[in-house]
Amino acid sequence: MILVTGGTGLVGSHLLYKLIKENNTVRATYRRDKTLQRVKHVFSYFSADYELLFNKIEWVKADINNIPQLQLAFKNITYVYHCAAFVSFEPDKYKTLRKINIEGTANIVNLSISNGVKKLCYVSSIAAIGHKSNHNDLIDENTNWNPEEDNSVYAITKYGAELEVWRGTQEGLDAVIVNPGIILGGGYWNGGSSGSIFKKIYNGMSYYVTGVAGYVDVWDVVECMVQLMNDPVFNEKFILISENLSFKDFQIKAANILNVKAPKKEAKPWLLGLAWRLDWLNHKVFGRRRNLSKQAAKSMCTVTKYNNGKIKNILNFEFKTIDKSIEEVGNLYLKDLNRPN
């Protein structure tokens, strides 16, 4: 039996659809009942029989920091996809990020070892990959992580979670780690997911930013994960990106698909610097949630380019173009806008 943690998230829900469609026996964890509707919603994009497919999943209510709940979830499990995570770039969320991303992953690793799991796939992030001093150099899996850099709290905890997985491999666990770029997929239009970018562009954005990052389609992430679990490879990590693209180009492409105006004005580094400082001040004085951290502002005008050669060579894999992905996800957003409540 296969266990998927974080089954109600963007990657988890799409992974579950693929696994169920391929007639696997699957158990998935969730924390809140209302989040199960998200999975049904994603399934409904791709099948008229989404209720039937959804009901084939054995759902277990479990927090990844609740050991008794997890022990029940791990009964008779042979393969684990660990997708559960907390995504936030707010500095004041650091303790929560550590609790879920690092301590939670340690729990999954420990239970995988004690239950004799054959293989674990952990969904990390390119945020946990190091950077090059020359922005034109491609970042790959061997690029060293520098703890002295001004890393985001999210990146720090995802890197810490990877260390827990590597610790597990030293104790006999076979594992693979995937490091996706910005994941494009439908059904999650709020919060910290990439879908919220489509929502913001649709509602109107005045400014564009000029940084460069790696993007990947959610189905490519899922396909790579499944193939890696079925492949003899183990104790390796893989960057998953389709293309390196500027935020400006992404904003323009998405605006064209959504049939809205693209932003015309550049948000200069000094303006972003002012914005994150005002955001910090609002948080300190009025207690408002952080919307823009110092690290996020910096990344918006930083060029980071990634090399996807390792996964392409190992699996002979070809990624979906980002143009195609933007088109598909943008159309799903428009479809949801027109759905009756």
Side-chain angles (χ1 to χ4, degrees):
M1 178 178 276
I2 297 170
L3 175 65
V4 176
T5 71
T8 60
L10 175 63
V11 173
S13 60
H14 286 77
L15 174 63
L16 286 172
Y17 183 85
K18 178 176 176 61
L19 293 173
I20 290 297
K21 285 288 287 185
E22 294 179 352
N23 296 315
N24 292 284
T25 305
V26 182
R27 182 180 295 151
T29 66
Y30 73 102
R31 290 192 306 118
R32 296 186 299 273
D33 292 343
K34 65 179 182 180
T35 59
L36 294 174
Q37 294 302 316
R38 299 178 189 168
V39 183
K40 288 185 181 181
H41 184 61
V42 168
F43 281 25
S44 72
Y45 288 148
F46 312 110
S47 173
D49 297 323
Y50 66 92
E51 288 274 6
L52 178 64
L53 294 171
F54 177 87
N55 290 331
K56 290 182 178 181
I57 302 166
E58 181 185 330
W59 289 98
V60 175
K61 197 168 190 176
D63 188 295
I64 60 172
N65 283 297
N66 186 314
I67 302 301
Q69 290 178 345
L70 283 181
Q71 286 175 329
L72 292 174
F74 266 84
K75 186 177 181 181
N76 299 323
I77 292 299
T78 50
Y79 295 94
V80 176
Y81 291 91
H82 180 31
C83 307
F86 180 50
V87 181
S88 175
F89 296 91
E90 300 175 61
D92 60 310
K93 296 291 193 295
Y94 180 62
K95 289 184 178 179
T96 303
L97 284 159
R98 283 193 61 89
K99 185 72 176 175
I100 297 173
N101 294 346
I102 299 179
E103 294 178 29
T105 298
N107 293 333
I108 297 299
V109 168
N110 293 339
L111 284 166
S112 294
I113 294 169
S114 62
N115 284 274
V117 165
K118 292 182 179 179
K119 199 170 186 179
L120 166 73
C121 177
Y122 173 56
V123 183
S124 185
S125 167
I126 55 170
I129 301 284
H131 293 92
K132 299 279 191 180
S133 56
N134 185 338
H135 295 315
N136 290 317
D137 291 340
L138 292 179
I139 297 166
D140 61 23
E141 291 83 355
N142 295 318
T143 303
N144 290 326
W145 168 270
N146 182 2
E148 301 302 319
E149 283 188 14
D150 189 16
N151 299 297
S152 71
V153 287
Y154 175 68
I156 291 168
T157 59
K158 292 300 277 188
Y159 179 75
E162 288 191 14
L163 294 181
E164 291 296 335
V165 176
W166 296 136
R167 186 260 304 169
T169 65
Q170 295 299 308
E171 298 177 23
L173 176 65
D174 288 350
V176 289
I177 294 176
V178 293
N179 296 84
I182 298 172
I183 304 173
L184 303 181
Y188 296 77
W189 311 118
N190 298 308
S193 72
S194 63
S196 64
I197 305 173
F198 285 85
K199 183 177 181 179
K200 290 175 181 177
I201 292 172
Y202 181 83
N203 289 332
M205 296 183 73
S206 300
Y207 291 90
Y208 64 83
V209 289
T210 57
V212 173
Y215 292 80
V216 64
D217 189 88
V218 67
W219 287 117
D220 283 344
V221 174
V222 165
E223 184 63 36
C224 287
M225 290 167 64
V226 172
Q227 288 193 34
L228 286 170
M229 288 289 267
N230 293 329
D231 193 272
V233 66
F234 64 93
N235 301 355
E236 297 276 357
K237 66 188 295 181
F238 299 89
I239 289 173
L240 304 184
I241 66 130
S242 170
E243 298 172 33
N244 296 296
L245 187 70
S246 74
F247 296 122
K248 177 184 178 181
D249 287 344
F250 175 84
Q251 289 173 284
I252 292 172
K253 291 174 185 290
N256 289 337
I257 294 298
L258 297 171
N259 198 28
V260 296
K261 291 182 179 179
K264 299 291 186 181
K265 296 179 285 187
E266 179 185 351
K268 300 283 188 180
W270 69 264
L271 184 59
L272 291 169
L274 177 62
W276 77 255
R277 287 174 172 85
L278 290 174
D279 183 74
W280 174 85
L281 188 62
N282 270 327
H283 172 71
K284 288 297 182 182
V285 176
F286 302 107
R288 295 172 183 165
R289 286 191 62 177
R290 295 292 302 274
N291 292 311
L292 184 65
S293 68
K294 175 184 177 182
Q295 295 79 14
K298 180 182 177 182
S299 71
M300 290 178 181
C301 51
T302 300
V303 174
T304 48
K305 297 180 179 179
Y306 298 88
N307 186 343
N308 62 5
K310 184 177 179 180
I311 190 71
K312 292 178 75 172
N313 292 334
I314 288 286
L315 300 180
N316 193 27
F317 191 82
E318 288 299 325
F319 287 92
K320 182 187 297 183
T321 67
I322 290 304
D323 281 357
K324 183 64 175 174
S325 183
I326 291 172
E327 178 185 359
E328 291 176 354
V329 178
N331 285 331
L332 287 177
Y333 180 76
L334 294 175
K335 181 180 179 180
D336 279 351
L337 278 180
N338 295 321
R339 282 193 181 194
N341 294 326

